Amino acid sequence: MEKAMKENRLSSILFIVLFLCGSTSMAHKPFRHRPQPCNHLVFYFHDVIYNGKNAGNATSAIVAAPSWGNHTILSRLNHFGDMVVFDDPITLDNNLHSPPVGRAQGMYFYDKKEIFTAWVAFSFVFNSTKHKGTINFAGADPLMNKTRDISVIGGTGDFFMARGIATLSTDAFEGEVYFRLRVDINLYECY
């Protein structure tokens, strides 16, 4: 009987030691190198919001607004509830009058009352000598942050099935009429 108890204790101790060794080796994950981008691009897009007086050069318009808002002026309360569609020129530098290399086409809507934040979904549509096709983006855009990351969720042509991250930064802001975004794109899946 004593011999059986010693064997049980020994088996229990051995089980505990093996369990602890196994769990610590599982807790240690091998170091993974951060992947390097397969393509890096930087573009600027220029948004001129229609304000009731600038129809000739506006590149975006409010298409939905809350009951207290209207379609020519962004609403109060951090523009909450406004939905804007756009067809903005994309340039290689921050000059609005530089030759466009494509268009940024999509929409954003302001989705929070407490702070400026928006949700965006848009495509860069290229038809230049250097690039053909599209890059598609979607995600939350917390506008008050200096830089914001949104997902690259696909593409066509030169950017077929692209995946990655686009870092947005507001390069210029002129009241409720014009803003310019710098879009720093790192693609991690390139085909």
Side-chain angles (χ1 to χ4, degrees):
M1 175 110 159
E2 247 178 77
K3 186 176 178 183
M5 287 176 65
K6 283 183 182 179
E7 285 179 9
N8 277 344
R9 274 193 217 153
L10 185 59
S11 295
S12 297
I13 290 172
L14 185 59
F15 175 76
I16 291 171
V17 168
L18 288 174
F19 177 77
L20 290 175
C21 289
S23 65
T24 57
S25 67
M26 286 189 290
H28 176 70
K29 293 181 181 177
F31 177 74
R32 291 187 137 169
H33 292 286
R34 185 169 235 170
Q36 293 299 313
C38 53
N39 200 347
H40 177 252
L41 305 155
V42 176
F43 298 102
Y44 293 82
F45 83 83
H46 308 266
D47 194 69
V48 180
I49 302 170
Y50 173 69
N51 66 0
K53 302 172 192 161
N54 61 349
N57 65 350
T59 61
S60 65
I62 302 167
V63 295
S67 60
W68 63 85
N70 65 56
H71 289 209
T72 55
I73 299 171
L74 292 166
S75 65
R76 343 181 268 289
L77 295 173
N78 295 315
H79 311 319
F80 175 73
D82 285 334
M83 178 181 283
V84 178
V85 296
F86 58 89
D87 181 18
D88 296 337
I90 306 167
T91 60
L92 294 173
D93 62 22
N94 62 4
N95 185 344
L96 173 63
H97 303 291
S98 293
V101 295
R103 306 292 292 182
Q105 298 173 332
M107 61 100 183
Y108 55 91
F109 59 88
Y110 295 96
D111 59 352
K112 202 160 187 180
K113 286 182 183 179
E114 298 81 26
I115 59 169
F116 276 115
T117 184
W119 193 87
V120 298
F122 61 96
S123 296
F124 278 2
V125 180
F126 299 99
N127 192 12
S128 66
T129 55
K130 189 168 182 180
H131 302 293
K132 300 255 189 264
T134 64
I135 303 175
N136 305 311
F137 307 86
D141 185 5
L143 299 164
M144 299 309 288
N145 295 352
K146 184 175 177 164
T147 61
R148 296 91 68 191
D149 290 336
I150 61 171
S151 300
V152 174
I153 58 172
T156 63
D158 294 344
F159 307 102
F160 178 71
M161 291 180 55
R163 301 283 187 276
I165 297 293
T167 302
L168 307 178
S169 55
T170 304
D171 190 58
F173 180 77
E174 295 176 16
E176 310 268 315
V177 178
Y178 172 78
F179 67 85
R180 177 178 58 237
L181 293 181
R182 181 180 193 272
V183 184
D184 189 335
I185 305 166
N186 285 303
L187 300 178
Y188 293 94
E189 287 186 29
C190 304
Y191 295 96

